[in-house]
Amino acid sequence: PPAQNVFNNASGVSALHLSLQAGPNDGIRVTALTLRASGSANDTGLQVDLYRDTNGNGTLEGGEPLLQSQTVAGDDGAATFGFGAGVLEVAAGQTGFVLARVTLPGTAGVGQTHAIRLQAASDVTAQGLTTAAAASVLGTYPLQGPTLTAQTTSLTLSGPAPQSPAESVFPNASEVRMLRVQLDAGALEAVRVTQLIFRPTGASSGDDTAATARLYLDQNNNGTVEVGTDTLIQTQPGANASVTFTAAGGLVDVPASGSRQLLVVYGLGAPGPAAGDAFQLALASADVTAQGLGSAAPVTASGATQTGGLKTVAIGTLSLAPGANNPTAAQAFAGQTRVLQQVRRREGSDVVAVR
């Protein structure tokens, strides 16, 4: 079997496949077999189940019999199997196969390893089926199984670049990009995210209840909502304490060794916020609830808190000031409605032009 990452309490993990070839002179009965544990993890309590692999394909299939189960008593200890007549026998000139599968004891830390092996020919006792005489055990030793590395399901929170920027927005803006986040799952299994809690930061001064929050799966990872491309996951009313998106069936699934980018936008509605009101959202790893997609075990997210740019409400303004050709000050009688502007002399007569 190949080396693999496994849960530290995984069961039924294929750990060693052995081929037993009887010589042409006599059939062989295996009466005892010892497998030894190794690796950086403590092997105490490691259970080894030995199966007859009838078709030799290295995979346990229906109908293939369990020969015996044994438990390793100590770290780097051994599991010894004893067989009576008819249990593990191979006819003359034929080949038989056995498959060892293990249940890990659940004590390994992340990155620690388990493995089992057949160390030497002396760890096998066999006899001829006809003669009952001790058989010579041949082969090149040790016969080593794959390394099984203990892992936990992981989910990491990060912020894709560029983050949603600090900017001015209109009080009736419908697609205010508040925050971009990225979620990365480890190699062990896919992760289902069931809840995300976004919280206004201390820099927020606006009333978030005036907003409608929408959570999108950013399909092309460009940080912009595009109708027909990005997927609307859920809509929630804004709140000053927090905005919670939740779904028991999952908000988004992150594939093993893969990532998903999410985008939160605000829609500001009437009556809109006042000029100068500010809005900002953040997401902490502690506010991410998730579980293994296959195991359904809880997953604790890691990563730094992600914060979007500050959005400040701006409105149009109109400023008034005296024009460049504003009339100058002038003397006038009380109650006068028309003001003498200009006097012209024409042919000896006074002509008064008034406006």
Side-chain angles (χ1 to χ4, degrees):
Q4 57 183 306
N5 295 323
V6 295
F7 294 110
N8 70 356
N9 61 347
S11 61
V13 181
S14 294
L16 184 62
H17 190 232
L18 296 175
S19 167
L20 295 82
Q21 184 174 6
N25 299 322
D26 196 358
I28 295 296
R29 173 184 298 146
V30 177
T31 58
L33 175 69
T34 297
L35 300 178
R36 302 184 185 277
S38 63
S40 60
N42 190 326
D43 303 298
T44 303
L46 180 76
Q47 178 178 311
V48 185
D49 302 319
L50 199 64
Y51 291 86
R52 184 69 182 259
D53 184 12
T54 54
N55 61 8
N57 68 354
T59 301
L60 181 63
E61 298 174 338
E64 293 182 328
L66 172 65
L67 302 179
Q68 199 173 111
S69 296
Q70 294 291 340
T71 300
V72 175
D75 188 24
D76 295 335
T80 298
F81 302 83
F83 308 109
V87 177
L88 185 52
E89 297 177 351
V90 182
Q94 301 298 308
T95 301
F97 300 91
V98 292
L99 176 65
R101 288 160 60 94
V102 298
T103 297
L104 306 187
T107 55
V110 173
Q112 291 189 311
T113 60
H114 293 281
I116 60 172
R117 69 191 185 281
L118 181 59
Q119 177 64 30
S122 57
D123 284 334
V124 181
T125 303
Q127 64 184 48
L129 283 177
T130 302
T131 64
S136 295
V137 179
L138 309 176
T140 302
Y141 298 91
L143 302 178
Q144 180 68 52
T147 298
L148 307 176
T149 304
Q151 296 288 351
T152 59
T153 306
S154 63
L155 183 69
T156 304
L157 170 67
S158 63
Q163 183 53 267
S164 64
E167 59 186 343
S168 297
V169 297
F170 291 123
N172 62 345
S174 60
E175 295 289 347
V176 181
R177 297 171 299 166
M178 296 298 295
L179 178 60
R180 298 179 69 193
V181 297
Q182 179 168 312
L183 296 168
D184 292 89
L188 191 58
E189 67 171 334
V191 176
R192 171 161 291 170
V193 179
T194 57
Q195 182 171 277
L196 297 168
I197 302 176
F198 296 87
R199 302 183 188 274
T201 70
S204 298
S205 61
D207 182 3
D208 287 74
T209 62
T212 298
R214 292 187 290 274
L215 178 66
Y216 286 90
L217 175 61
D218 191 0
Q219 298 281 12
N220 57 7
N221 299 338
N222 69 351
T224 302
V225 174
E226 294 171 309
V227 177
T229 298
D230 300 320
T231 302
L232 176 61
I233 298 174
Q234 199 173 96
T235 300
Q236 291 291 340
N240 291 319
S242 63
V243 179
T244 300
F245 298 93
T246 185
L251 296 168
V252 62
D253 291 341
V254 184
S257 299
S259 64
R260 290 289 183 265
Q261 289 191 17
L262 304 176
L263 178 64
V264 180
V265 302
Y266 264 8
L268 303 178
D277 283 352
F279 299 89
Q280 189 176 48
L281 288 180
L283 177 66
S285 58
D287 287 328
V288 178
T289 303
Q291 63 185 46
L293 190 59
S295 66
V299 175
T300 300
S302 62
T305 297
Q306 301 302 312
T307 304
L310 188 68
K311 312 298 180 180
T312 304
V313 174
I315 61 174
T317 60
L318 176 64
S319 298
L320 299 180
N325 296 310
N326 193 41
T328 60
Q331 299 287 334
F333 294 107
Q336 185 176 350
T337 60
R338 291 184 293 178
V339 179
L340 179 66
Q341 296 287 326
Q342 185 178 9
V343 177
R344 291 187 299 154
R345 184 173 298 281
R346 185 179 63 187
E347 298 178 349
S349 302
D350 288 336
V351 177
V352 179
V354 296
R355 293 179 183 173

